Amino acid sequence: MGTALITGGSAGLGLEFARQLAAREHDLVLVARNEDRLNEVAEELRSAHRVAVEVLPADLSVPDDVARVAKRLALVGGRPEDGGARPVGLLVNNAGFATGARFATGRVTTERRGIDVMVRAVVELTHAAVGQMLERDQGAILNVGSVAALTAGGTYAAAKAYVRTFTESLAVELKGTGVTATLLSPGFTHTEFHERAGIPESAIPGWGWLDAEYVVRTALADVRGGVVLSTPSVRYKLAAAVLRSAPRWAVRAVGKYR
């Protein structure tokens, strides 16, 4: 997979992706809004694993920032015009957030920012990466979705539903090339994601939680195996199967009481 670019790479699943990939001696490009935090993580990984780590501060709700990240992804590498940068062989579109608020009473600016980060940026960054990957006939796209994509769980679920369909469509288009597309659909995972959204972990039964280390290890194994839909754990594979087969009125009824 060569060099990996990870959005949201300074915390949560993104940080776990960075640590596991660095441990496998992959060079990294880390993207997040907090430059100080990015530099701390980069220094940790350089010291622990002797890998090269680029830091690329960016807010993926800002078009100019997305364009800067896309420019880095588009570099084929090995050419003078690329400035010696190595091409990105794995793009992990991980950045995202949930607000915990209902759509009708929340801020529309927050909803719009979520769409910018979890839909628009995913499309633009994937397009930039796939171009150079196809030129080199190798590479992988890993989009972080959610089992929530199969629910009626607000605009977060709607954004993840878009990412799910987008990734599957991309996988069909890329079939027969040296480039793959994988969708990771985790369930509830122990990170600071839910705390930031104002959703207490106590609201979820203990059996519903997954460890970030396990989720990331499963996802990376599925990327290496060319798997399109990666759903860690038997319990969430079953949950996804139930949600896919259940009549939509029943899914909506569950969403009504969330």
Side-chain angles (χ1 to χ4, degrees):
M1 291 184 286
T3 297
L5 187 147
I6 306 166
T7 67
S10 65
L13 283 178
L15 177 58
E16 184 62 31
F17 273 113
R19 286 172 171 159
Q20 291 197 27
L21 286 164
R24 293 176 172 84
E25 300 182 340
H26 292 281
D27 292 337
L28 302 172
V29 183
L30 301 181
V31 178
R33 290 185 299 162
N34 189 323
E35 185 171 4
D36 290 340
R37 177 60 180 151
L38 279 174
N39 285 324
E40 289 176 9
V41 172
E43 185 55 37
E44 170 200 328
L45 299 176
R46 292 181 192 121
S47 298
H49 303 291
R50 306 299 181 192
V51 294
V53 184
E54 298 176 46
V55 167
L56 188 50
D59 182 340
L60 297 182
S61 68
V62 177
D64 286 348
D65 283 14
V66 175
R68 285 194 297 107
V69 180
K71 183 177 180 180
R72 175 63 182 89
L73 283 165
L75 298 180
V76 176
R79 305 182 303 190
E81 58 266 36
D82 290 343
R86 295 184 179 182
V88 171
L90 170 65
L91 167 61
V92 182
N93 279 311
N94 164 75
F97 64 93
T99 65
R102 293 182 178 273
F103 175 78
T105 54
R107 294 174 179 268
V108 72
T109 52
T110 303
E111 303 290 352
R112 185 169 61 239
R113 182 168 174 267
I115 292 169
D116 287 340
V117 172
M118 293 183 286
V119 176
R120 290 179 180 169
V122 168
V123 171
E124 292 188 32
L125 298 184
T126 298
H127 188 269
V130 164
Q132 58 86 0
M133 290 176 181
L134 286 173
E135 186 174 339
R136 296 183 301 108
D137 198 33
Q138 60 180 4
I141 306 294
L142 174 57
N143 292 329
V144 177
S146 173
V147 171
L150 301 171
T151 72
T155 49
Y156 176 82
K160 293 304 185 181
Y162 180 96
V163 172
R164 181 185 181 93
T165 301
F166 169 66
T167 307
E168 288 192 90
S169 300
L170 182 62
V172 171
E173 185 175 333
L174 295 174
K175 189 174 183 180
T177 73
V179 185
T180 62
T182 297
L183 176 78
L184 170 61
S185 296
F188 295 106
T189 304
H190 286 297
T191 66
E192 62 269 48
F193 177 88
H194 296 89
E195 180 182 348
R196 290 180 175 180
I199 304 171
E201 287 199 5
S202 59
I204 312 301
W207 55 263
W209 290 98
L210 302 175
D211 291 328
E213 186 277 334
Y214 168 73
V215 169
V216 169
R217 175 163 42 86
T218 301
L220 293 177
D222 284 342
V223 169
R224 288 190 292 271
V227 174
V228 176
L229 297 178
S230 175
T231 305
S233 85
V234 172
R235 78 197 83 157
Y236 280 110
K237 283 183 172 68
L238 289 173
V242 169
L243 287 167
R244 285 195 303 271
S245 60
R248 292 308 293 177
W249 64 261
V251 174
R252 293 193 298 274
V254 172
K256 179 180 179 181
Y257 297 103
R258 68 184 178 88

